[in-house]
Amino acid sequence: MSQAPNPLDFLALDRLLSEEERLIRDTVRAFVADKVLPEIAGWFERGELPRELAKELGALGLLGMHLEGYGCAGTNAVSYGLATMELEAGDSGVRSLVSVQGSLAMFPIHRFGSEEQKQEWLPRMAAGDAIGCFGLTEPDFGSNPAGMRTSARRYGSDWILDGTKMWITNGGIADVAVVWARTDEGIRGFLVPRGTPGFSTRDIEKKLSLRASVTSELILESCRLPESAVLPGVTGMRGPLSCLGEARYGICWGSMGAARACFESALEYAKTRVQFDRPIGAFQLTQAKLADMATELSKGMLLALHIGRMKDDGVLRPEQVSMGKMNNVREAIKIARTARTILGANGVTLEYPVIRHMNNLESVLTYEGTNEVHTLVLGQALTGISAFTSSS
Ligand SMILES: Cc1cc2nc3c(=O)[nH]c(=O)nc-3n(C[C@H](O)[C@H](O)[C@H](O)COP(=O)(O)OP(=O)(O)OC[C@H]3O[C@@H](n4cnc5c(N)ncnc54)[C@H](O)[C@@H]3O)c2cc1C
């Protein structure tokens, strides 16, 4: 007879992975156990993420891991997804570092950059020697980035950039910022190296979510860049949106990592915490919570894996990624909140991972397209009618 289900992989999805995919997953899981979990509560409390971690992630081949050449590992999409799941089981901030580096900074250079731009940045970024960020959101344009005010105008053979980008992950530690700006030709992407005159950053303090992640404002004041700074391969919102599609894909998986960590913590607690002379896991109300959590976790992982296989087959549509991001982050938050109730008062301290994940997931719910925006993407795909604005 087959074995009793593993609570953390109740539907035995492990069987659906190749040997190489399992090896990558187990390697990242071991890295997280060794390098992230012993430190993460302190990093979260102090609001820091050591820069050296990027080099260690690079040495493991996790930065831009689904890209080909230029020092990148060139894995399939499922392996990349499994890596983000394991990283986010550690902390959403660590996964954000990897997502932004690989999907939002390296991906546009790889896909839309000139050969010189690729040679200059990608090998260093894959190694973690250079860090990138992605500047799309502005103080007045979040869900509607197409309204952006940041502008780039030609000045002889150069460009002059003006504007402010807000809520930019890795901004304050980045060696290069991929900045999207309005031009006479449409939206264009620019590579802005740290230290360029007229370019500065200011870190956003007092976040109570994703504390182990640098989030910054990017300020461009008459920032002059040569023609070679433009990403030549794309014009229009297609550029930034294609990057977001890549990062959202990682979140379909990553959110399930955070959920799994919360579920694991709650299950262990339920079996050991005694009240009324019984483990709290013996009470039906606790068992109902655990059963729901395990079910949603299994469904979410199955969804992520299915979307990953579609991506590897080259048939995945953005609306399908929206469904994955919307569902899995929503369910991960529910799992985190339920786990917190099982831990009682211990659920509110950093001694346990649950409240950290729960707070982190609030940012994950908002960035890369809010829950509402992905709901509207699905609504539009289903009805053929856009509900984004009152006039359309
Ligand atoms: C920790 C963190 C890191 C981030 N990192 C980055 C980054 O690296 N790069 C980057 O460019 N951005 C980044 N962001 C920004 C993020 O992408 C935006 O916060 C997000 O797009 C939402 O924009 P907003 O916060 O301005 O909210 P708003 O767009 O003002 O939305 C506020 C609320 O209104 C809702 N809403 C808006 N429009 C509609 C509509 N048409 N119908 C129904 N509801 C609507 C939203 O869903 C939301 O609930 C980050 C954000 C956070 C919190």
Side-chain angles (χ1 to χ4, degrees), residues 96 100 104 132-145 165-171 178 180 204 207 209-211 213-216 218 244 248 360 362-376 387-390:
S96 294
V100 169
L104 294 181
C133 70
F134 173 88
L136 179 64
T137 304
E138 298 186 357
D140 294 331
F141 296 92
S143 298
N144 179 25
K165 297 292 179 180
M166 193 70 182
W167 299 110
I168 308 305
T169 303
N170 296 351
V178 177
W180 300 95
I204 296 171
K207 277 182 304 161
S209 171
L210 275 194
R211 289 188 52 74
S213 172
V214 176
T215 315
S216 319
L218 310 182
L244 291 170
R248 284 167 187 161
N360 283 341
E362 293 293 341
S363 288
V364 181
L365 186 70
T366 289
Y367 71 19
E368 309 287 348
T370 65
N371 185 62
E372 292 80 3
V373 163
H374 288 297
T375 306
L376 296 182
F388 282 92
T389 61
S390 54

Side-chain angles (χ1 to χ4, degrees), residues 240-388:
L241 292 182
S242 62
C243 305
L244 291 170
E246 293 293 301
R248 284 167 187 161
Y249 165 72
I251 292 174
C252 296
W253 286 92
S255 53
M256 286 297 107
R260 189 189 74 205
C262 292
F263 173 65
E264 186 174 12
S265 182
L267 180 62
E268 182 58 28
Y269 198 83
K271 289 195 290 190
T272 51
R273 170 74 176 169
V274 173
Q275 287 295 290
F276 303 99
D277 303 322
R278 303 183 77 192
I280 57 170
F283 302 121
Q284 290 180 5
L285 289 178
T286 309
Q287 291 193 2
K289 289 177 185 175
L290 293 169
D292 274 351
M293 291 159 89
T295 304
E296 290 308 327
L297 181 61
S298 300
K299 283 158 66 180
M301 290 191 333
L302 197 53
L303 176 58
L305 180 59
H306 179 69
I307 283 179
R309 294 283 181 234
M310 289 178 81
K311 186 165 169 58
D312 277 327
D313 289 346
V315 296
L316 184 64
R317 300 256 326 158
E319 302 87 328
Q320 292 163 332
V321 181
S322 283
M323 182 181 275
K325 199 264 180 186
M326 183 189 82
N327 180 79
N328 283 8
V329 179
R330 183 179 67 198
E331 296 308 321
I333 285 201
K334 282 195 212 156
I335 288 171
R337 289 177 183 155
T338 308
R340 209 219 57 70
T341 67
I342 292 177
L343 268 70
N346 277 319
V348 306
T349 81
L350 283 175
E351 297 293 323
Y352 292 85
V354 174
I355 192 132
R356 177 170 52 77
H357 283 299
M358 195 180 107
N359 280 9
N360 283 341
L361 286 166
E362 293 293 341
S363 288
V364 181
L365 186 70
T366 289
Y367 71 19
E368 309 287 348
T370 65
N371 185 62
E372 292 80 3
V373 163
H374 288 297
T375 306
L376 296 182
V377 169
L378 291 181
Q380 182 175 15
L382 294 169
T383 63
I385 308 165
S386 166
F388 282 92

Side-chain angles (χ1 to χ4, degrees), residues 180-260:
W180 300 95
R182 175 177 300 290
T183 75
D184 286 343
E185 305 148 20
I187 306 290
R188 303 293 307 262
F190 293 84
L191 301 186
V192 187
R194 163 173 300 282
T196 305
F199 173 50
S200 58
T201 66
R202 187 161 47 211
D203 289 348
I204 296 171
E205 309 286 350
K206 301 187 195 273
K207 277 182 304 161
L208 294 179
S209 171
L210 275 194
R211 289 188 52 74
S213 172
V214 176
T215 315
S216 319
E217 196 177 347
L218 310 182
I219 303 144
L220 299 140
E221 293 166 307
S222 301
C223 176
R224 187 165 170 172
L225 294 167
E227 178 66 24
S228 61
V230 188
L231 292 174
V234 74
T235 302
M237 282 304 288
R238 186 172 67 82
L241 292 182
S242 62
C243 305
L244 291 170
E246 293 293 301
R248 284 167 187 161
Y249 165 72
I251 292 174
C252 296
W253 286 92
S255 53
M256 286 297 107
R260 189 189 74 205

